[in-house]
């Protein structure tokens, strides 16, 4: 790995072939990106206070335009139909974590960024059945690991609307030069249960997908 620095433009770019310090961590502000060398496996872990019950899923966009959702729950039209891994095994959900004790709750996605995958967008969802409670009260943090440095995408601008149920912290794109992680911190419309989608330009469009199943 190389040495990374934050540039005025908001990009975090590879500058020189010096190894990054072991265990180093880079925090991305909204709109910033970082390029990482490709590795066999990365993990996207999303964390939040255990006093609420969020659900994490991933939208996987393939180079041929297909989109697959990796989730532990279905949609309103197909509540029992869902995939905890893509058919090729490239992206896997490691299991649902519910409300409970401890100081932090986490759910993890394993990502093997094969050449067929164009982008992966982890999504954090707080179902209506959880009751009210804004993302500002229960802020989420996404952590990308699999090499050095570790990339952290916090949510300092979290919506304080109790009726906002979906947050996309960031997106991981597969480029010829390596993996690009961009901090997005996007939120759904109030009262919307629609899933987001990834457009052909590999941007995230909120509220463009099917409605989540009531959980």
């Amino acid at each position: 790995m190389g040495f990374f620095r934050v540039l005025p433009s908001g990009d975090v770019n590879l500058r020189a072939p010096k190894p990054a310090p072991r265990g180093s961590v880079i925090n991305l502000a909204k709109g910033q990106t970082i390029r990482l060398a490709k590795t066999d496996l990365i993990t996207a872990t999303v964390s939040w206070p255990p006093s609420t019950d969020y659900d994490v899923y991933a939208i996987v966009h393939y180079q041929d335009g297909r989109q697959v959702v990796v989730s532990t729950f279905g949609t309103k039209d197909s509540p029992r139909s869902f995939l905890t891994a893509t058919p090729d095994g490239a992206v896997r959900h490691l299991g649902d974590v519910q409300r409970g004790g401890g100081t932090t709750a986490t759910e993890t996605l394993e990502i093997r960024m094969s050449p067929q995958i164009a982008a992966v967008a982890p999504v954090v969802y707080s179902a209506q059945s959880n009751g009210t409670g804004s993302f500002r009260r229960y802020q989420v943090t996404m952590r990308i690991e699999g090499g050095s440095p570790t990339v952290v995408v916090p949510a300092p601008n979290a919506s304080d609307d109790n009726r906002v149920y979906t947050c996309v912290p960031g997106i991981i794109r597969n480029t010829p030069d390596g993996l690009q992680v961009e901090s997005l911190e996007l939120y759904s419309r109030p009262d919307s249960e629609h899933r987001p989608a990834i457009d052909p330009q590999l941007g995230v469009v909120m509220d463009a997908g099917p409605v989540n199943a009531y959980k």
Side-chain angles (χ1 to χ4, degrees), residues 37-96:
K38 293 181 181 179
T39 59
D40 292 338
L41 172 68
I42 62 171
T43 58
T45 301
V46 180
S47 303
W48 60 89
S51 52
T52 191
D53 181 19
Y54 286 156
D55 291 284
V56 176
Y57 58 95
I59 302 170
V60 184
H61 187 94
Y62 284 84
Q63 301 285 2
D64 62 7
R66 290 180 296 126
Q67 288 199 19
V68 176
V69 175
V70 173
S71 178
T72 59
F73 61 98
T75 64
K76 181 179 179 181
D77 293 334
S78 301
R80 298 185 183 277
S81 178
F82 56 87
L83 296 172
T84 57
T86 54
D88 58 8
V91 180
R92 295 180 180 274
H93 196 299
L94 297 191
D96 182 33

Side-chain angles (χ1 to χ4, degrees), residues 14 32 112 120 126 136 152 183-184 212:
L14 187 64
Q32 287 186 335
R112 291 172 172 83
V120 178
S126 177
R136 181 164 296 177
V152 176
S183 173
L184 297 176
N212 283 313

Side-chain angles (χ1 to χ4, degrees), residues 52 114 142 145 151 169 188 190 207:
T52 191
S114 67
M142 182 170 71
E145 297 179 289
V151 180
S188 60
D207 310 298

Side-chain angles (χ1 to χ4, degrees), residues 53-202:
D53 181 19
Y54 286 156
D55 291 284
V56 176
Y57 58 95
I59 302 170
V60 184
H61 187 94
Y62 284 84
Q63 301 285 2
D64 62 7
R66 290 180 296 126
Q67 288 199 19
V68 176
V69 175
V70 173
S71 178
T72 59
F73 61 98
T75 64
K76 181 179 179 181
D77 293 334
S78 301
R80 298 185 183 277
S81 178
F82 56 87
L83 296 172
T84 57
T86 54
D88 58 8
V91 180
R92 295 180 180 274
H93 196 299
L94 297 191
D96 182 33
V97 176
Q98 299 182 358
R99 193 190 313 250
T103 58
T104 304
T106 64
E107 290 189 11
T108 301
L109 301 163
E110 282 188 349
I111 302 169
R112 291 172 172 83
M113 198 71 86
S114 67
Q116 290 74 36
I117 295 177
V120 178
V123 183
V124 186
Y125 172 61
S126 177
Q128 287 184 357
S129 57
N130 284 340
T132 60
S134 69
F135 277 98
R136 181 164 296 177
R137 184 186 306 173
Y138 304 115
Q139 290 188 16
V140 297
T141 300
M142 182 170 71
R143 192 176 182 95
I144 309 296
E145 297 179 289
S148 180
T150 293
V151 180
V152 176
V153 182
N157 305 299
S159 171
D160 62 357
D161 192 324
N162 289 331
R163 299 175 299 127
V164 170
Y165 304 123
T166 301
C167 172
V168 179
I171 188 170
I172 307 162
R173 300 185 182 96
N174 196 7
T175 77
D177 299 325
L179 301 181
Q180 181 196 66
V181 181
E182 180 180 3
S183 173
L184 297 176
E185 198 184 350
L186 299 175
Y187 297 94
S188 60
R189 295 190 304 266
D191 295 321
S192 173
E193 295 277 351
H194 283 271
R195 291 178 172 178
I198 299 176
D199 66 24
Q201 290 72 45
L202 304 186

